[in-house]
Amino acid sequence: MNTENTPEIDIIKASQSKISQVDFDNLTFGNTFTDHMLVCDFKEGQWQKPVIKPYEPFLIDPSAKVFHYGQAIFEGMKAYRDANNQVWLFRPDQNMDRFNKSATRLAMPEVPKDIFIGGLKQLVALEEQWVKGGKGNSLYIRPFMIAVGSGVIAQPSTQYRFMIILSPAKSYYSGEVKVIIAEHYSRAANGGIGAAKAAGNYSAQFYPTKLANEQGFQQIIWTDDATHTKLEEAGTMNVFFRINDTLITAPTSERILDGVTRKSLLDIAQKEGIQVDVRSLTVDELVKAAQDGSLKEMFGAGTAAVVSPIKGFQYQEHYYELTPQDQPMALFLKEKLTNIQYKLEDDPFGWTVHV
Amino acid sequence: MNTENTPEIDIIKASQSKISQVDFDNLTFGNTFTDHMLVCDFKEGQWQKPVIKPYEPFLIDPSAKVFHYGQAIFEGMKAYRDANNQVWLFRPDQNMDRFNKSATRLAMPEVPKDIFIGGLKQLVALEEQWVKGGKGNSLYIRPFMIAVGSGVIAQPSTQYRFMIILSPAKSYYSGEVKVIIAEHYSRAANGGIGAAKAAGNYSAQFYPTKLANEQGFQQIIWTDDATHTKLEEAGTMNVFFRINDTLITAPTSERILDGVTRKSLLDIAQKEGIQVDVRSLTVDELVKAAQDGSLKEMFGAGTAAVVSPIKGFQYQEHYYELTPQDQPMALFLKEKLTNIQYKLEDDPFGWTVHV
């Protein structure tokens, strides 16, 4: 018996499904949830028995540490339905590993594989009718962990709750994205938690992003906080630059998230013979490349949008618009990646996992 | 009628008080809560009517943005009972101003004065028997705001909950604190949220603090993240250094919290004729001062402990122990400050506010 797939889980089924009320053609990202969720509590030093139960609000103490000291981490993943009606996950081990690295960095307990992957598979299998077929459709998976122990003293909690919730998603079109290079605000410190998928990192971005929106830019390209000279991330995504025919992205670090889409695109690019250069691109280099025409593309990469092409960027009061490419590398890589995810092409990397 | 003191608040009283079950001589900081709490929701662009109700867990959606994107801020304050049985707050306007600055930085709505101060006064007045007399006893006040709107998309919430909970506290003795100077980890980025009392800042400190604890140090002295050469905060407190007879503390910045205890101690020191120097002290200066004997004292300053003397510090594998002083400036300043808070001395600054 493969215990990874079959942890002992109590299942309490919803009395009726909400699925018939959902308009799958008009989904707003992250707003609709399936009938069930997975809940697993950590207390007295160990993980308790997981339960799959109806999706619903839960009771929590006003002094729960998540509200006061921000111990909260998450992952973003997707399940896909192929043409043969089979449901697949994409590199779930990578998300689990990153989740547990985030947990360690926030002094939270690691979630064992039989709960994270095993529980996830059972939950997705139960909700499989929510995974709609057709490229672009997916079931967005949100595992997260919060500190539920009570007490307003700044110390790690002794009680945690791990949950998985599921949200059906359409292909995510981010529109024509114009970005602004950060010259003052930043998302992560050296020696900080920028590499963790920690809730606190996101709230820090909202205000600077609001200011950018007011200036007509959809996202910020984050730079290193000390010098604002190195290009690091795009909004909540990793960022790629194509200069001539070389694809450049920053190396992962304490400040930069080890994105699953990022690393998958790098692997695909290398396999396809595209020149890849994993290094910090500087703002000066970017401006120079925009001026001399060697900057062909910029795009964000992440689970929700897969690839989000950037139309142009603003730096020091000057806007640089990119010339549209006939055969954008961004779309080629996106096509390759999603073809693997939807089983439309071979998966030479062994990334897809059957539910 | 002073509307600041009398917002329209619904009051739902607890059927019976828990106060007789509380052992006020053996309180663990932040673990015991009074009978009531204040709750005020923000939705459809405005603050709703506040309610004071029994302290109890509340229902929240699993996709609430506080769990995923960390929009959560708080304040720490205290109420004191004087020898004439009157109950006082200390500079509540300062906490409200900082709270609203934190709110802006995290793209959350500001809380109006009639709710923050007016609601706080009504709540403390209702719970006044929880404010025990005698120096050292206090009622710790925890106003906080969380994003309760649902949806797993990284955007600011449109719904928030402001709450105030109260916890009776004894004099907080931090013990003999040995600290370690941060050489790798850091608590805040330039252009980040270090100046906000944001939940996410605290979870980032837990893991490095755990490592320090394992090495025998109770706290970390945080340094700037870019160079680790400037001394910035001590654990979750502001930090002061006494070199010869000069009191030194870092200026507030985007990385350093504008502490109410910090600024109050500075005002008292200046009034008492103590030489004050608000500037960044470097690690090199600190080590040199420890070596030549001019470093007389180090202490943390914050609402919970008021002043927390530091016995010695570790830097680059070397431990520097401070020589105990006959008349420590830390204790002199603490005495002056707490005498004002407990109305044992005149309050020349007008800091105390009657409940």
Side-chain angles (χ1 to χ4, degrees), chain A residues 187-199:
Chain A
R187 71 171 283 285
N190 294 299
I193 59 171
K197 230 168 152 59

Side-chain angles (χ1 to χ4, degrees), chain B residues 17 63 67 79 82 86 193 207 212 234 239 248 268 281 289 311 334:
Chain B
S17 177
S63 75
F67 297 143
D82 72 11
Q86 301 299 299
I193 60 171
Y207 177 71
V239 64
I248 303 171
I268 291 171
L281 190 73
K311 192 181 152 76
K334 178 179 181 173

Side-chain angles (χ1 to χ4, degrees), chain A residues 30 33 55 57-62 68-70 74 104-105 142 144 151-152 184 186 190-191 199 203-204 207-208 225 254, chain B residues 30 33 55 57-63 68-70 74 104-105 142 144 151-152 184 186 190-191 199 203-204 207 225 254:
Chain A
F33 296 94
Y55 183 98
F58 60 98
L59 281 169
I60 187 165
D61 196 83
H68 302 270
Y69 307 116
F74 70 93
T104 299
R105 183 60 185 83
R142 171 58 61 94
F144 65 104
V152 291
H184 175 75
S186 51
N190 294 299
S203 57
Y207 177 71
D225 79 304
E254 275 183 326
Chain B
F33 296 94
Y55 182 98
F58 60 97
L59 282 169
I60 186 165
D61 196 82
S63 75
H68 302 270
Y69 306 115
F74 70 94
T104 298
R105 183 61 186 83
R142 171 58 61 94
F144 65 104
V152 291
H184 174 75
S186 51
N190 295 298
S203 57
Y207 177 71
D225 79 305
E254 275 183 327

Side-chain angles (χ1 to χ4, degrees), chain B residues 11-316:
Chain B
I11 299 183
I12 303 163
K13 286 209 182 170
S15 56
Q16 63 180 86
S17 177
K18 299 171 291 195
I19 196 165
S20 63
Q21 300 155 37
V22 175
D23 178 359
F24 281 86
D25 293 325
N26 292 292
L27 292 166
T28 303
F29 188 86
N31 256 351
T32 304
F33 296 94
T34 68
D35 295 318
H36 301 89
M37 62 185 182
L38 180 135
V39 181
C40 188
D41 284 330
F42 179 91
K43 56 185 174 185
E44 286 155 17
Q46 53 191 341
W47 287 101
Q48 310 296 307
K49 194 175 181 183
V51 56
I52 289 173
K53 56 183 288 193
Y55 182 98
E56 62 188 4
F58 60 97
L59 282 169
I60 186 165
D61 196 82
S63 75
K65 288 193 189 268
V66 63
F67 297 143
H68 302 270
Y69 306 115
Q71 280 184 294
I73 59 170
F74 70 94
E75 277 298 322
M77 314 162 64
K78 282 178 177 171
Y80 311 87
R81 186 178 292 279
D82 72 11
N84 296 320
N85 230 1
Q86 301 299 299
V87 174
W88 301 86
L89 300 173
F90 183 73
R91 309 187 77 177
D93 54 316
Q94 296 294 317
N95 293 93
M96 184 186 71
D97 289 350
R98 187 173 62 184
F99 189 80
N100 282 334
K101 280 180 193 159
S102 299
T104 298
R105 183 61 186 83
L106 271 78
M108 302 168 88
E110 292 191 6
V111 176
K113 186 172 185 178
D114 62 342
I115 296 172
F116 192 103
I117 305 280
L120 175 51
K121 283 184 177 178
Q122 281 206 33
L123 180 64
V124 173
L126 180 68
E127 302 289 58
E128 65 95 22
Q129 79 272 31
W130 291 82
V131 193
K132 296 298 175 191
K135 203 171 176 182
N137 294 321
S138 65
L139 184 63
Y140 182 78
I141 301 167
R142 171 58 61 94
F144 65 104
M145 179 172 23
I146 55 174
V148 295
S150 58
V152 291
I153 186 163
Q155 287 170 354
S157 182
T158 55
Q159 291 175 46
Y160 297 91
R161 176 162 292 179
F162 171 67
M163 302 180 79
I164 305 176
I165 56 178
L166 308 173
S167 177
K170 297 275 300 171
S171 173
Y172 186 102
Y173 177 60
S174 48
E176 297 231 298
V177 175
K178 293 183 188 181
V179 299
I180 186 164
I181 311 283
E183 292 177 64
H184 174 75
Y185 290 106
S186 51
R187 71 170 284 284
N190 295 298
I193 60 171
K197 229 168 153 62
N201 288 336
Y202 293 81
S203 57
Q205 297 186 211
F206 289 163
Y207 177 71
T209 303
K210 195 170 76 169
L211 297 181
N213 294 162
E214 287 165 8
Q215 290 181 269
F217 303 98
Q218 287 71 51
Q219 284 296 354
I220 295 173
I221 303 282
W222 299 104
T223 49
D224 66 295
D225 79 305
T227 66
H228 295 295
T229 57
K230 294 176 204 157
L231 299 156
E232 306 215 313
E233 291 203 14
T236 59
M237 293 181 282
N238 292 111
V239 64
F240 285 78
F241 307 92
R242 174 184 161 199
I243 294 185
N244 291 320
D245 286 322
T246 301
L247 193 62
I248 303 171
T249 193
T252 57
S253 72
E254 275 183 327
R255 292 192 308 265
I256 298 180
L257 198 75
D258 183 13
V260 179
T261 305
R262 172 190 173 280
K263 71 173 87 173
S264 302
L265 293 179
L266 286 176
D267 286 349
I268 291 171
Q270 276 167 323
K271 184 167 177 300
E272 297 292 332
I274 294 169
Q275 184 75 31
V276 165
D277 196 0
V278 177
R279 67 175 177 96
S280 282
L281 190 73
T282 66
V283 180
D284 279 354
E285 285 180 284
L286 182 74
V287 168
K288 214 164 286 174
Q291 285 167 340
D292 70 19
S294 60
L295 178 66
K296 307 295 184 192
E297 293 180 61
M298 296 170 65
F299 57 95
T303 294
V306 188
V307 158
S308 177
I310 293 166
K311 192 181 152 76
F313 69 93
Q314 172 99 349
Y315 180 63
Q316 289 183 341

Side-chain angles (χ1 to χ4, degrees), chain A residues 1 10 46 49 60 66 75-76 83 87 93 109 113 117 120-121 127 143 172 190 203 207 222 234 255 282 295 323 325:
Chain A
M1 194 175 81
D10 284 328
Q46 53 192 341
K49 194 174 181 185
I60 187 165
V66 61
E75 277 299 322
V87 174
D93 55 315
K113 186 171 184 177
I117 305 280
L120 174 52
K121 283 184 176 177
E127 303 289 58
Y172 186 102
N190 294 299
S203 57
Y207 177 71
W222 299 104
R255 293 193 307 265
T282 66
L295 177 65
T323 307
Q325 301 295 308

